[in-house]
């Protein structure tokens, strides 16, 4: 099986008061194992909604989504939750670290939810990968934005996911830190992790193997290579 994710006619509507918002209007896409995919599109076009649905943080209103061979709509809540926890790592624009927990505790947090014992050798490994092993006892407010995002990358890795979804991961970073985070994502991708990232940065997007352009809840174009 070479597809990690397949979406067929994926739809998402939100209710805003009496109004229905069509956030996704029939998305068809296929992502192969090991791909590095960029998602581009104007603000409000549905990029975050798409990532949240691909990551099982939210359910689609219609259509089909298959992840690692499982049809998401057939999964119970708890099966969906374990798929999300065990197979998918998230990185957000706002880092979303817990301010009262230090670097190491933040990185280990997903294990707490999956009730797994920390593998401290692997923790050292991911902290080294992101270059934060020397800061493991620091609190988030003692870190720069770039460092916070590197911690968030480590946290996304701790469950050894096959798929990482990153929603504007460099949106709050200067160009030097953006490059560093992007290099990190590229390195993970070279190690076999499938990565889908949303960006407004065309230079970063051009380094992806596939670029998906979204407009008004639909895929406008897919560029490969
Ligand atoms: P993007 O990430 O591309 O900026 P979003 O996926 O956040 O786009 O939003 C797509 C559309 O869905 C927008 O019109 C947005 O206002 C709407 N939307 C997103 N989340 C919600 C929500 N929870 N409730 C109502 N409307 C929403
Ligand atoms: Mg967004």
């Amino acid at each position: 099986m070479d597809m990690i994710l397949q979406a067929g006619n994926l739809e998402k509507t939100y209710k805003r008061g009496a109004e229905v918002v069509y956030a996704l209007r029939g998305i068809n896409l296929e992502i192969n194992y090991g791909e590095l995919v960029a998602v581009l599109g104007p603000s409000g076009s549905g990029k975050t909604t798409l990532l949240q649905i691909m990551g099982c943080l939210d359910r689609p209103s219609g259509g089909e989504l298959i992840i690692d061979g499982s049809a998401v709509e057939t999964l119970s809540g708890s099966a969906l939750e374990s798929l999300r926890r065990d197979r998918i790592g998230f990185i957000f624009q706002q880092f979303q670290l817990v301010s009262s927990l230090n670097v190491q505790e933040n990185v280990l947090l997903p294990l707490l939810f999956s009730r797994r014992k920390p593998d401290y050798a692997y923790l050292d490994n991911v902290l080294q990968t992101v270059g934060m092993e020397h800061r493991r006892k620091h609190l988030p407010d003692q870190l720069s934005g770039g460092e916070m995002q590197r911690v968030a990358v480590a946290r996304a890795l701790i469950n050894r996911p096959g798929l990482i979804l990153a929603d504007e991961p460099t949106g709050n970073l200067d160009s030097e830190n953006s490059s560093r985070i992007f290099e990190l994502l590229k390195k993970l991708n070279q190690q076999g992790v499938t990565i889908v990232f949303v960006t407004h940065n065309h230079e970063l997007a051009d380094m992806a193997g596939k670029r998906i352009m979204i407009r008004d809840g639909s895929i406008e174009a897919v560029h490969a290579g």
Side-chain angles (χ1 to χ4, degrees):
M1 194 178 59
D2 3 294
M3 264 181 273
I4 191 166
L5 188 148
Q6 199 176 359
N9 202 23
L10 215 54
E11 294 179 356
K12 180 68 181 179
T13 54
Y14 295 110
K15 285 208 186 86
R16 194 157 38 199
E19 187 196 356
V20 178
V21 179
Y22 292 86
L24 299 180
R25 303 170 185 258
I27 297 276
N28 294 295
L29 68 88
E30 292 175 350
I31 294 171
N32 293 322
Y33 283 99
E35 272 194 299
L36 178 62
V37 180
V39 177
L40 295 123
S43 176
S45 56
K47 305 178 301 295
T48 294
T49 302
L50 179 62
L51 247 67
Q52 284 182 341
I53 288 176
M54 292 198 316
C56 308
L57 289 171
D58 201 356
R59 283 188 185 265
S61 311
E64 192 183 39
L65 177 66
I66 300 172
I67 297 176
D68 258 346
S70 301
V72 162
E73 57 273 24
T74 66
L75 298 179
S76 67
S78 63
L80 194 64
E81 209 168 286
S82 62
L83 173 73
R84 179 175 74 222
R85 280 177 189 165
D86 300 342
R87 313 261 184 97
I88 302 169
F90 286 94
I91 302 165
F92 304 94
Q93 181 177 358
Q94 311 286 354
F95 322 133
Q96 300 202 3
L97 301 180
V98 178
S99 59
S100 59
L101 299 181
N102 69 29
V103 163
Q104 169 166 330
E105 291 161 343
N106 266 285
V107 173
L108 290 172
L109 201 57
L111 295 177
L112 204 72
F113 293 118
S114 52
R115 293 184 202 83
R116 290 214 191 120
K117 271 206 209 116
D119 172 345
Y120 286 101
Y122 186 64
L123 171 71
D124 289 349
N125 186 323
V126 296
L127 286 175
Q128 268 162 25
T129 300
V130 302
M132 289 299 290
E133 70 280 13
H134 58 301
R135 294 279 168 89
R136 60 172 73 220
K137 299 292 180 194
H138 285 59
L139 289 169
D141 68 5
Q142 299 172 301
L143 305 176
S144 69
E147 289 173 328
M148 284 195 259
Q149 194 59 306
R150 276 147 57 196
V151 175
V153 172
R155 180 184 55 189
L157 288 172
I158 200 71
N159 269 329
R160 307 177 199 239
L163 175 63
I164 288 193
L165 302 174
D167 194 359
E168 301 193 39
T170 65
N172 278 335
L173 301 179
D174 59 30
S175 61
E176 194 183 322
N177 280 301
S178 294
S179 307
R180 183 154 187 189
I181 290 293
F182 188 72
E183 288 306 316
L184 196 51
L185 294 180
K186 261 197 345 201
K187 183 163 95 178
L188 296 170
N189 179 247
Q190 279 154 10
Q191 292 168 0
V193 182
T194 307
I195 298 183
V196 181
F197 68 104
V198 172
T199 187
H200 290 290
N201 183 326
H202 285 263
E203 259 171 66
L204 296 185
D206 283 346
M207 287 188 258
K210 189 191 268 178
R211 290 179 300 288
I212 298 174
M213 328 297 276
I214 300 209
R215 184 175 293 274
D216 204 14
S218 301
I219 292 183
E220 187 178 47
V222 178
H223 301 295

